[in-house]
Amino acid sequence: MRQSRPQAFDNAIDASKSATNLSVTAKDKIDPITDDYGHNQQQVAQLLEQLNQIVLDKSQVVKLALSCVLAGGHLLLQDLPGMGKTTLAQGLAQLLGLSFNRVQFTNDMLPADILGMSIYNQTNSNFEFRRGPIFTQLLLADEINRSSPKTQSALLEAMEERQVSQDRQTYRLPQPFFVIATQNPMQQAGVYPLPESQLDRFLMCLSLGYPSPAAERALLQGQDRRELLATLNAMFDTDAVLLAQRGVQQVYVAEVVLDYLQRLVAKTRISQEYHGLSPRGVLSLQRAAQAHAYVSGHGEVSPEDIQSVFAAVTDHRLGQRFVSPNTVSGQAPQTIAQRIMAEVAVII
């Protein structure tokens, strides 16, 4: 059944038709995926299985987290302390087989503690740059919102440009480079809100929530999570991750699916309640949907892939600071993204 829509929708879609057609044409010209797709999908499935044994009862969050990394994006995990955010980040880093550093953010931390600093070498009579912990393939920024805005802003260039600028010199970061950050809810003491420019650097923002009674019983009766993490063996390496990222970029997006994506985006831009998605946000949404399809073993993006990633990609960009799923009734309040999806038809 055809549903009515505001004229602004039609105007927004019509204005972007030429860009959409160019995008589709460009996708059609991409070379076919050359890696062993079946073998790669088997590796992805095995990685998810291993990670789900560490982070219990959170299969969808785990799948989205892996999709975020394979899409080449940064991940923000926000929830109450002790919910398993750090465990998920460490398990993902270990299974991907990438070089890994963890930084515990505190309120007295300075940008140089992350980026590095120039130290005078008396032997050579010159300054030498000592690289900080950010020079790694996967950086865990634990409790990122406990540090001051000045320290938080030190990550902006690294997350967007994959480089660090110090003392008029530019230093490239290893490839691939990811930031997995955790943060506590804003209502807790000793935290600083992440500015919108910082939030926009994160491809996805996820929350774990309380475990089910069955999962909690397994935690009580099972092995310590830290001990289980130590038993994990890397299932990917640098080349495998880069290969998977190229595979994500080649997942086909049909024109009708792009139409649905643009209707969702247009809906965000006609509201007086929140600001709409930027072009970077739109590209992030498409890339996340491609990654979700890839992790799911699909050859092309479906509307269900867009729906699966829409809230994780857009809520923090639309001003949704934190919606806790941890209510007594177990029913989380509806987020901005969920309201938008309920109002926009998949096919018109």
Side-chain angles (χ1 to χ4, degrees):
M1 180 179 296
R2 181 181 179 90
Q3 298 186 10
S4 61
R5 59 185 181 182
Q7 183 62 37
F9 273 20
D10 296 320
N11 295 340
I13 298 300
D14 291 341
S16 59
K17 278 296 184 181
S18 58
T20 301
N21 291 335
L22 288 174
S23 176
V24 173
T25 302
K27 292 180 188 298
D28 292 339
K29 292 181 179 180
I30 293 178
D31 294 333
I33 299 175
T34 56
D35 62 303
D36 186 347
Y37 193 81
H39 175 68
N40 186 269
Q41 293 304 308
Q42 184 179 6
Q43 282 186 305
V44 169
Q46 292 174 349
L47 190 151
L48 288 174
E49 182 181 357
Q50 289 288 320
L51 199 51
N52 281 318
Q53 294 177 8
I54 302 297
V55 184
L56 302 178
D57 193 38
K58 302 296 176 185
S59 58
Q60 182 58 22
V61 175
V62 168
K63 187 175 184 178
L64 287 172
L66 179 59
S67 299
C68 181
V69 172
L70 295 187
H74 308 293
L75 175 63
L76 179 62
L77 300 172
Q78 61 176 6
D79 215 321
L80 300 170
M83 303 298 282
K85 302 186 298 295
T86 303
T87 301
L88 172 58
Q90 290 177 324
L92 194 58
Q94 196 154 333
L95 288 168
L96 287 172
L98 303 176
S99 61
F100 172 73
N101 282 330
R102 173 182 175 181
V103 177
Q104 182 66 49
F105 280 63
T106 58
N107 57 2
D108 60 348
M109 180 176 286
L110 299 175
D113 296 326
I114 305 170
L115 305 180
M117 64 183 71
S118 295
I119 299 177
Y120 185 73
N121 188 326
Q122 292 184 343
T123 303
N124 301 327
S125 299
N126 58 15
F127 285 91
E128 295 181 353
F129 180 67
R130 300 291 178 87
R131 300 189 174 198
I134 198 171
F135 286 88
T136 186
Q137 291 177 314
L138 199 153
L139 176 70
L140 172 56
D142 216 356
E143 296 186 302
I144 187 174
N145 60 340
R146 288 184 59 197
S147 65
S148 66
K150 180 178 182 180
T151 303
Q152 293 174 9
S153 65
L155 292 173
L156 288 175
E157 180 185 11
M159 294 175 69
E160 182 65 21
E161 306 295 338
R162 267 64 174 183
Q163 65 183 29
V164 169
S165 297
Q166 283 285 84
D167 299 327
R168 301 180 183 178
Q169 295 292 325
T170 299
Y171 305 91
R172 299 296 302 178
L173 292 169
Q175 296 298 320
F177 172 73
F178 308 105
V179 173
I180 299 180
T182 71
Q183 72 167 352
N184 298 329
M186 287 310 305
Q187 62 266 29
Q188 295 196 341
V191 297
Y192 300 86
L194 292 177
E196 284 76 5
S197 58
Q198 182 91 31
L199 288 171
D200 194 50
R201 268 32 175 216
F202 289 101
L203 178 64
M204 290 188 189
C205 180
L206 302 172
S207 296
L208 289 166
Y210 290 126
S212 66
E216 194 164 48
R217 179 62 63 91
L219 288 173
L220 293 170
Q221 296 178 335
Q223 192 175 359
D224 183 83
R225 297 298 103 179
R226 291 184 180 88
E227 295 177 1
L228 287 176
L229 282 172
T231 65
L232 293 179
N233 295 317
M235 305 187 67
F236 277 66
D237 56 18
T238 298
D239 291 337
V241 172
L242 292 174
L243 190 64
Q245 287 182 333
R246 291 196 294 271
V248 166
Q249 294 171 1
Q250 297 177 50
V251 174
Y252 178 69
V253 187
E255 198 166 342
V256 65
V257 177
L258 286 176
D259 287 341
Y260 175 54
L261 184 150
Q262 288 191 282
R263 289 199 302 276
L264 289 171
V265 171
K267 180 67 174 177
T268 71
R269 294 173 177 171
I270 63 173
S271 173
Q272 300 299 318
E273 180 184 354
Y274 43 81
H275 53 79
L277 278 183
S278 66
R280 178 164 55 191
V282 178
L283 292 172
S284 297
L285 178 58
Q286 176 180 318
R287 192 167 72 251
Q290 288 176 293
H292 189 271
Y294 187 85
V295 170
S296 301
H298 303 153
E300 62 180 288
V301 175
S302 68
E304 288 76 17
D305 291 313
I306 294 178
Q307 292 168 347
S308 296
V309 303
F310 188 66
V313 173
T314 62
D315 269 334
H316 63 288
R317 290 181 165 89
L318 300 177
Q320 188 88 57
R321 285 288 178 174
F322 181 74
V323 175
S324 175
N326 311 312
T327 58
V328 175
S329 64
Q331 297 296 322
Q334 197 174 40
T335 69
I336 294 174
Q338 289 169 340
R339 296 204 312 266
I340 291 173
M341 284 190 291
E343 296 171 1
V344 177
V346 176
I347 301 176
I348 59 171

